[in-house]
Amino acid sequence: MNTAGHSEATARRGLELSPFRGLRYDPDRVGSLASVTSPPYDVVVRPDGVHHLQSADPYNIVRLILPQAGTPSARTEQAADTLRRWLDEGVLTADPEPGLYVYEQRDGSGLLQRGIIGALRVSEPAEGVVLPHEDVMPPVVADRAALMRATRANLEPLLLTYRGDGTAAEVVERTAGTPPLLATTTEDGFRHRLWSVTGPADVTRIQSDLARQQALIADGHHRWATYLRLRAEHPSPSPWDHGLVLLVDTARYPLRVRAIHRLLHGLPVADALAAVQGLFRVRRLDTPLAEALEALADASCAGNAFLLAGDGAFHLLDRPDPDLLTRTIPADRPAAWRSLDATVLHATLLDHVWHIPEDSPAHIAYIHDTAATVAKAERDGGTAVLMHPVREEVVRDLARQGVTMPRKSTSFGPKPASGLVLRALEI
């Protein structure tokens, strides 16, 4: 055997996407497809969001992805029992033949995103095939792993991006011109459509394009880490060698990148501001949220900037003391990582100035919706830290260097709705 050639071929191994028999809701058994869908589990704001979704329909997917019970084991057991019952009752049914799925999202502003849902071979970051860009929180991975073990299912797809050569995109575009398997509009105004691709020639075209590509995890780092853990627990070959993903070709459909904000429990805005006096420039903004965010965007062009809220006003923090940054930010990382807002927030503000543990739900919450973050801070007497989004090219460049960003640094979207197609590992 030519060892060098074999190693080179192995190094070139790209994305391997396989068809599967999707589990989908029977429209005749539920109120509407929109009423059984949910945002991804980590976007649902507890407890309001869970209760709202549960009341939308008795079969809402949130009962599987965020089961409500007194203990972790009771929650996972409840999800497994619920899934078995829905399968037995025909609420969820498997498609008759394996396929890949074309998925489309469209909103009223003209945003259009299309991608391919399939079962992707799980690979370690060292292979350079699927690139993570954020750290994960072990308790969350353990929670998702317990849920997947109990249900033996991938309940919602991760969002991955790649830049293809157009072959798969041709199949996607042609498929989107045919009648869909389902179409629904969710309460956020997004229209969703789903098609299956079962023809061997089209499946092969998609697979051939992807086989030369690498992907960036846009959303779902904890679930990808869960896939890795579960694959390691089961001897190969097994269904755990693959995980459910949505792959979007950003050469055709660029993603929208938003920030994920922080809510600091138990830290009043006055105390947060007192601690940063002399370390950052601080300006009070008595303006509406939209104007305050514009000021944050302008300040972010010149360097690190954050917007604090929770006391009825907005406070813009920028121009951090360079000596403070030198003392608090690790010097063994690339300059692009050291200058990230998320790096400065976690290494400097949370760790050094405010002394807040970033992985403690009792101290900090991560919230995607800007207005909701501000409202919760004002209601609870805490501090909202509003962030400006980082550009996708910065994320991708760092990921290719093998450098992970601080957790919850970005929010790529639109995210796939949960509940449109699931993957049961034994079907």
Side-chain angles (χ1 to χ4, degrees):
M1 173 185 282
N2 183 334
T3 304
H6 175 71
S7 300
E8 186 178 348
T10 301
R12 286 201 304 267
R13 190 175 184 181
L15 300 167
E16 298 176 33
L17 195 68
S18 298
F20 69 103
R21 290 179 63 197
L23 282 184
R24 295 189 295 111
Y25 282 99
D26 180 346
D28 295 331
R29 299 297 307 274
V30 299
S32 71
L33 289 174
S35 68
V36 295
T37 64
S38 164
Y41 80 97
D42 58 338
V43 180
V44 178
V45 180
R46 297 190 196 209
D48 320 45
V50 173
H51 295 157
H52 170 70
L53 291 165
Q54 284 183 332
S55 63
D57 192 286
Y59 298 116
N60 189 281
I61 190 69
V62 78
R63 296 177 187 274
L64 299 182
I65 63 174
L66 285 174
Q68 300 296 292
T71 65
S73 60
R75 287 194 290 272
T76 56
E77 183 178 344
Q78 180 185 95
D81 290 343
T82 300
L83 178 57
R84 280 193 295 268
R85 187 174 70 254
W86 290 358
L87 289 169
D88 291 342
E89 295 174 356
V91 174
L92 287 169
T93 60
D95 283 332
E97 57 182 321
L100 301 175
Y101 294 84
V102 170
Y103 175 48
E104 174 188 282
Q105 294 161 277
R106 188 191 297 263
D107 72 0
S109 71
L111 183 147
L112 173 64
Q113 179 172 288
R114 290 181 180 140
I116 303 164
I117 296 175
L120 184 68
R121 180 182 71 87
V122 177
S123 58
E124 297 285 348
E127 293 184 48
V129 176
V130 175
L131 305 175
H133 69 267
E134 287 185 2
D135 292 330
V136 297
M137 293 175 269
V140 178
V141 176
D143 175 74
R144 292 294 102 184
L147 184 64
M148 287 190 207
R149 284 191 207 99
T151 57
R152 298 191 64 78
N154 301 149
L155 301 172
E156 43 186 351
L158 285 63
L159 175 60
L160 274 61
T161 73
Y162 73 104
R163 300 186 71 80
D165 65 9
T167 308
E170 292 172 6
V171 178
V172 168
E173 300 302 315
R174 177 162 36 81
T175 302
T178 64
L181 289 175
L182 64 84
T184 190
T185 301
T186 46
E187 65 179 6
D188 58 4
F190 270 91
R191 294 166 51 203
H192 306 262
R193 296 198 294 170
L194 189 77
W195 298 260
S196 63
V197 178
T198 56
D202 282 343
V203 170
T204 298
R205 287 188 188 97
I206 291 171
Q207 291 173 326
S208 297
D209 184 358
L210 295 175
R212 295 184 293 275
Q213 311 299 336
Q214 64 178 184
L216 175 73
I217 300 176
D219 185 68
H221 283 82
H222 289 91
R223 282 167 286 166
W224 186 257
T226 302
Y227 290 169
L228 286 166
R229 175 180 293 192
L230 294 172
R231 185 193 66 169
E233 293 175 2
H234 297 83
S236 187
S238 85
W240 300 99
D241 292 342
H242 293 76
L244 186 63
V245 304
L246 165 64
L247 281 159
V248 174
D249 184 351
T250 52
R252 185 70 62 98
Y253 298 106
L255 266 66
R256 184 179 61 202
V257 186
R258 290 179 171 172
I260 301 177
H261 310 297
R262 277 66 170 162
L263 174 61
L264 309 182
H265 304 300
L267 179 67
V269 174
D271 292 351
L273 292 173
V276 298
Q277 290 299 326
L279 303 176
F280 284 73
R281 182 174 69 167
V282 180
R283 288 176 285 166
R284 179 186 173 102
L285 307 177
D286 290 300
T287 62
L289 174 59
E291 293 180 22
L293 290 173
E294 289 178 6
L296 174 63
D298 290 342
S300 294
C301 293
N304 302 117
F306 310 93
L307 199 62
L308 304 191
D311 63 349
F314 296 101
H315 308 270
L316 183 62
L317 274 58
D318 66 353
R319 298 187 183 178
D321 175 29
D323 290 338
L324 172 69
L325 300 184
T326 300
R327 292 197 311 272
T328 56
I329 295 178
D332 59 347
R333 300 288 188 92
W337 181 89
R338 296 198 305 273
S339 63
L340 289 170
D341 286 340
T343 299
V344 173
L345 173 62
H346 284 259
T348 303
L349 284 169
L350 292 180
D351 292 351
H352 183 79
V353 177
W354 293 327
H355 307 293
I356 293 176
E358 64 183 44
D359 56 356
S360 169
H363 293 87
I364 185 170
Y366 299 85
I367 304 177
H368 293 72
D369 185 89
T370 309
T373 311
V374 175
K376 283 179 174 290
E378 292 180 346
R379 185 182 67 203
D380 302 340
T383 295
V385 183
L386 307 183
M387 309 279 287
H388 185 67
V390 65
R391 300 190 316 279
E392 181 183 354
E393 55 266 32
V394 173
V395 178
R396 193 177 295 275
D397 287 346
L398 284 171
R400 284 178 172 153
Q401 296 177 56
V403 178
T404 55
M405 299 168 65
R407 61 195 57 168
K408 301 293 183 184
S409 294
T410 58
S411 175
F412 285 90
K415 303 178 190 304
S418 299
L420 296 179
V421 62
L422 293 66
R423 174 179 176 250
L425 273 69
E426 294 165 345
I427 293 180

